[in-house]
Amino acid sequence: MRLHVRMTAETMTRIPPRQPPIAHLRRIGAAVDPYPEGQDAAALAAALTAAVSSSTGAELMLMSVEPDLPLIIPGLDRTRIRAETTALLAQTRATWSPEARTRIETDLSVPRGLERLVRDQRRDLLVVGSSRHAADGEVGIARRTRQLLHDLECSLAIAPRGLSHEPVALKQIAVGFDGGSQSRLALSMAAGIAVANDAQLTVRGVIDDRVPALGWPQVWMGSIMEAWEEVIDGEEKTLRELIVSATETLGVKADIDLQRGRPATSLRDLSEAVDLVVIGSRRWGPLARLLLGGTGEGLVHGAHCPLLIVPRSLGQLS
């Protein structure tokens, strides 16, 4: 008895999908608010800008959205609110990136205001902080960030809570790779950051070796397990070949790290040893949008380093 290989048809074709060119970040935005997590976002955005600016000329914009409170609370002074926001951005710029530009938007919905800023200012990447309820040192997606995932037209990076308390290093870059087009976009982004910053690039491929439920508790598993091991060995060999081909096409050197298990768990464990993890969006959903699959969902709740999610859009690789 033989079991079919579970890799996608895309990854099993004899001619692998075209590897996108190295992605270069040029226009980075950071979502700044009065909370400490806003400073985490600014710290990560400044570090990313500094890491790639020498080769790409990247520039940073600190962005803040004022809730339109006077619209719903009569009597509030718009001038005072604007002065406080301006002072916050000025202090943040002085702390993290004196060369950064600033922009302020007003909207009852902070995610909607950020989406408009990203679109109007043509940002390649938006950096946000984690939820105030996340554990210190971990990524934890906030409600507003969850809203951004559905409509944002650029890559999104999430800073772990408390990142701004220590210097931010980006010398160990990791990317999750499964051979699909979304992981190839993620690899191109990770390679661009690693090459620009002379950082070490690790490509982690994870073979999910869990035996699928068969539904027949009395079936003898001996021959099935032998066939399953053969399938997993074949998947591992194929994935290694795809990673080698993709990195050679990009012209980058990388450590190839293959594991067996649950991809989300494997990448979350890896996040304890690296400075940035890059992943692609899930395979389905609107083009140029961010959608989390099971692996992404696992990482936005507990990754130990910054997480960067790349959308399903070749337009981001210009």
Side-chain angles (χ1 to χ4, degrees), residues 165-182:
H165 297 166
E166 301 289 341
V168 181
L170 294 173
K171 288 300 183 181
Q172 297 287 334
I173 312 298
V175 57
F177 190 90
D178 64 5
S181 57
Q182 282 66 55

Side-chain angles (χ1 to χ4, degrees), residues 177-195:
F177 190 90
D178 64 5
S181 57
Q182 282 66 55
S183 68
R184 290 175 178 273
L185 290 168
L187 174 59
S188 67
M189 178 68 74
I193 298 171
V195 170

